[in-house]
């Protein structure tokens, strides 16, 4: 594992860390049966029945896993 040859100054350390920025996830808005849901693209969606009981996971209209 590489080890720095000399100690980095406090200002250099902080300026390097300040360049990292969090980004908000890109959510996709879908409306199903009058209910608005937000989900991450390219992820399996949980399908629930009317009572809210989880049934299975679905991706691109296909059943992929049991809940």
């Amino acid at each position: 594992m590489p080890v720095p040859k000399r100690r980095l100054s406090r200002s250099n350390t902080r300026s390097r860390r300040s360049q990292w920025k969090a980004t908000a996830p890109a959510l996709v808005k879908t409306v199903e049966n009058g209910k608005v849901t937000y989900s991450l693209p390219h992820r399996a969606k949980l399908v629930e029945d009317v009572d809210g009981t989880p049934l299975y996971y679905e991706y691109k209209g296909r059943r992929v896993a049991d809940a």
Side-chain angles (χ1 to χ4, degrees), residues 2-64:
V3 178
K5 197 165 216 175
R6 64 184 69 83
R7 182 184 169 104
L8 211 62
S9 70
R10 185 177 293 160
S11 64
N12 283 345
T13 301
R14 289 180 178 163
S15 66
R16 184 186 71 244
R17 288 179 183 162
S18 70
Q19 297 303 312
W20 184 87
K21 293 173 182 64
T23 58
L27 296 177
V28 176
K29 178 181 176 181
T30 57
V31 179
E32 293 180 0
N33 301 327
K35 184 179 177 184
V36 177
T37 58
Y38 293 93
S39 61
L40 292 168
H42 302 290
R43 300 273 175 104
K45 181 181 76 168
L46 180 64
V47 177
E48 300 174 337
D49 63 357
V50 178
D51 298 327
T53 308
L55 298 174
Y56 57 89
Y57 286 96
E58 168 179 272
Y59 182 72
K60 291 187 178 178
R62 297 182 189 149
R63 186 176 178 165
V64 291

